[in-house]
Amino acid sequence: MTLGCARNEVDSEELAGRLAADGYTLVEDAEGADAVLVNTCGFIETAKKDSVDAILAATDTGAEVIAVGCMAERYGSELAGALPEATVLGFDDYTAIGDRLDDVLAGRPLVPHTPRDRRTLLPISPVERTAAVEADDAPAIPGHAWLQRKRLASGPSAALKLASGCDRRCSFCAIPTFRGAFVSRPPADVLEEARWLAGQGVSELVLVSENNTSYGKDLGDLRALEKLLPQIAAVEGIARIRVAYLQPAELRPGLVEVIAGTDGVAPYFDLSFQHSSPTLLRRMRRFGGTEDFLRLIERARELAPTAGFRTNVILGFPGETEDDVAELERFLVEGRLDAVGVFGYSDEEGTEAMGLPGKLDQHEIDARVRRITDLVEELTAQRAEDRVGERVEVLLTEDRSADEGAGVWLGHAAHQDPDADGTTTVTGVPADAVAGQLLVAEVVGTEGVDLVATVVVPALAEAGR
């Protein structure tokens, strides 16, 4: 069971690969299983609550329950004390997850870890970091000397992790303390895993990490991602790749050009703006503001007029004023984004923001969240309507012909992340179409942020390039 982001989904598949290599059989239904692993999320308060609820629900199955993931790493022994029904494991247990599961099933006691600031646990020089990444010599899938992963989903899209950790110091975020310092994966390993995923039937890759714009800086190459993207796009069987988790302050002009103009790379910008008031962003230990962000969006649209944009914003950060909220509203109206996640601020242990003055009452935070959410729903629906008449490349994911008539499929266009940004219903799809195929369609209608389109070019790609 996996909670949280796509990075956690990759971690779950890597854990599954290790367990399978150690002789464990993975089953769909927890009923009758010997053990249930819950991969938790520890990002914000609501995510932590969902994780606790999932752990408690798993205990009802009668199986041994093992909590892993960000919340388990972040709280360790504290979580184990609060939930004695579960065994709590940290990230350091991942490479020996089969042995740890052996211990649990045999009744051998395990001492839960005491959480540490993981930013101090890895060397910081490029050479040492590279060595640390390459040091894992655990058993792997034959033909892939380093790879341990077992797909848990069957769809044509999959996440591919570029790096782990984060070196930024945003005042509201605790992720670096439990995910550690930023460590890039070697480009050759990323390419090999892309080929492996293509062989598993994946035709769309979503590149993930805590901050993809940092990729390569610890390897001594700030342009590593610009060089890597065309290589991944050229992998046989991959029809499209998209880059998630981009930090606006690090988004170099060259990277914008590569994302906007490389065949096989979706012109899609998942930009972590968080707010647009320059004053408030400085309190968040971030950079930029409305005008900077609008120039960035304008430049990307000059290169790729139909490019997609998504972001997340935080309302109610300590010291946020009505003028700050109005500035954010101005940015959202002028930016014409395709998808926006709206979150209310909550104190997170171990962050600078927890000690900042100017805390807002929860009712005021909730009111601002509703206000911006209502605006976002209106703006994103309008942005979808703006795409009527536009030609979009749609990756087919689900045949709806049986329920909605011949030739009807569900999919997502280049500006739509497969998990978060709406869908496209396509009509006129050929009878021999398959999931993972990329078609060109013209948008003829909308339903909120979802699009309705009809096929123009029946076979842009046959389940990949």
Side-chain angles (χ1 to χ4, degrees):
M1 181 183 306
T2 304
L3 296 98
C5 65
R7 291 158 294 188
N8 253 18
E9 293 173 4
V10 176
D11 287 350
S12 288
E13 294 193 346
E14 291 174 352
L15 289 170
R18 292 179 184 274
L19 288 170
D22 286 339
Y24 281 96
T25 300
L26 305 176
V27 295
E28 294 286 338
D29 193 346
E31 297 296 334
D34 294 315
V36 176
L37 267 69
V38 181
N39 193 349
T40 62
C41 178
F43 181 41
I44 57 176
E45 198 61 38
T46 54
K48 288 183 279 190
K49 181 181 183 304
D50 289 344
S51 293
V52 170
D53 290 345
I55 293 170
L56 292 174
T59 62
D60 293 336
T61 65
E64 294 286 348
V65 178
I66 296 94
V68 296
C70 291
M71 187 177 181
E73 173 63 38
R74 184 176 182 184
Y75 295 102
S77 53
E78 181 183 346
L79 181 64
L83 293 173
E85 304 94 333
T87 298
V88 177
L89 301 179
F91 293 153
D92 291 338
D93 294 305
Y94 280 19
T95 57
I97 189 65
D99 292 339
R100 297 292 79 77
L101 189 50
D102 288 346
D103 292 335
V104 172
L105 295 177
R108 292 187 286 269
L110 295 173
V111 178
H113 67 282
T114 300
R116 298 169 291 172
D117 187 338
R118 296 190 68 89
R119 291 172 295 187
T120 66
L121 301 183
L122 279 173
I124 60 173
S125 75
V127 172
E128 289 174 323
R129 285 193 180 185
T130 302
V133 172
E134 295 174 345
D136 187 358
D137 58 359
I141 295 171
H144 299 271
W146 50 271
L147 175 61
Q148 292 188 294
R149 181 171 179 179
K150 179 180 177 62
R151 289 211 71 205
L152 299 176
S154 58
S157 299
L160 174 58
K161 189 155 53 177
L162 291 180
S164 61
C166 184
D167 287 340
R168 300 194 68 85
R169 295 293 181 267
C170 301
S171 63
F172 56 83
C173 183
I175 287 175
T177 64
F178 57 85
R179 276 289 182 181
F182 188 88
V183 180
S184 301
R185 295 180 61 198
D189 283 4
V190 175
L191 281 168
E192 190 171 352
E193 186 166 353
R195 295 185 189 103
W196 178 79
L197 285 166
Q200 299 292 305
V202 173
S203 58
E204 180 181 51
L205 297 175
V206 182
L207 307 184
V208 301
S209 73
E210 275 70 29
N211 175 12
N212 279 336
T213 35
S214 284
Y215 181 76
K217 70 177 186 180
D218 56 323
L219 302 177
D221 187 357
L222 289 174
R223 298 189 65 250
L225 187 54
E226 287 97 310
K227 299 172 184 176
L228 183 59
L229 288 178
Q231 296 177 64
I232 301 175
V235 170
E236 184 177 356
I238 298 302
R240 183 166 69 196
I241 62 174
R242 67 177 68 240
V243 187
Y245 304 111
L246 297 169
Q247 166 59 246
E250 296 181 28
L251 189 53
R252 303 169 296 280
L255 183 54
V256 174
E257 292 169 6
V258 170
I259 293 174
T262 302
D263 187 35
V265 177
Y268 173 81
F269 295 87
D270 177 9
L271 294 158
S272 176
F273 290 126
Q274 303 300 353
H275 211 283
S276 74
S277 163
T279 302
L280 197 69
L281 285 168
R282 300 305 174 272
R283 290 172 66 87
M284 290 180 169
R285 301 295 185 195
R286 296 175 69 87
F287 302 95
T290 297
E291 299 305 327
D292 303 292
F293 298 161
L294 290 176
R295 281 194 294 270
L296 173 58
I297 292 170
E298 180 182 11
R299 175 54 180 158
R301 284 188 171 131
E302 287 174 355
L303 297 168
T306 63
F309 297 86
R310 88 168 322 276
T311 196
N312 294 315
V313 296
I314 298 172
L315 275 300
F317 187 82
E320 183 185 61
T321 66
E322 276 294 327
D323 286 344
D324 293 327
V325 179
E327 183 70 5
L328 176 60
E329 288 174 324
R330 181 172 77 88
F331 166 67
L332 294 171
V333 170
E334 295 185 27
R336 298 167 52 238
L337 307 177
D338 295 276
V340 182
V342 183
F343 298 90
Y345 170 81
S346 62
D347 280 336
E348 290 296 321
E349 300 95 328
T351 64
E352 179 186 353
M354 191 170 181
L356 289 178
K359 296 289 179 62
L360 278 68
D361 291 337
Q362 189 61 49
H363 72 84
E364 179 60 30
I365 295 175
D366 294 343
R368 292 182 181 185
V369 167
R370 289 193 298 270
R371 169 178 163 186
I372 297 300
T373 298
D374 289 345
L375 175 64
V376 161
E377 289 178 353
E378 178 183 348
L379 293 173
T380 54
Q382 179 58 55
R383 178 64 184 134
E385 290 180 11
D386 292 344
R387 293 190 181 274
V388 172
E390 185 177 294
R391 289 193 173 189
V392 293
E393 293 185 0
V394 182
L395 190 90
L396 302 180
T397 56
E398 183 183 348
D399 187 355
R400 294 289 184 86
S401 298
D403 298 324
E404 301 182 32
V408 179
W409 277 73
L410 193 66
H412 51 271
H415 70 280
Q416 295 172 320
D417 180 89
D419 293 326
D421 298 345
T423 61
T424 298
T425 299
V426 190
T427 62
V429 177
D432 60 352
V434 295
Q437 188 170 342
L438 199 62
L439 304 179
V440 174
E442 182 175 327
V443 180
V444 295
T446 65
E447 297 175 1
V449 296
D450 298 328
L451 304 182
V452 178
T454 186
V455 169
V456 175
V457 180
L460 179 64
E462 296 296 333
R465 294 183 183 275

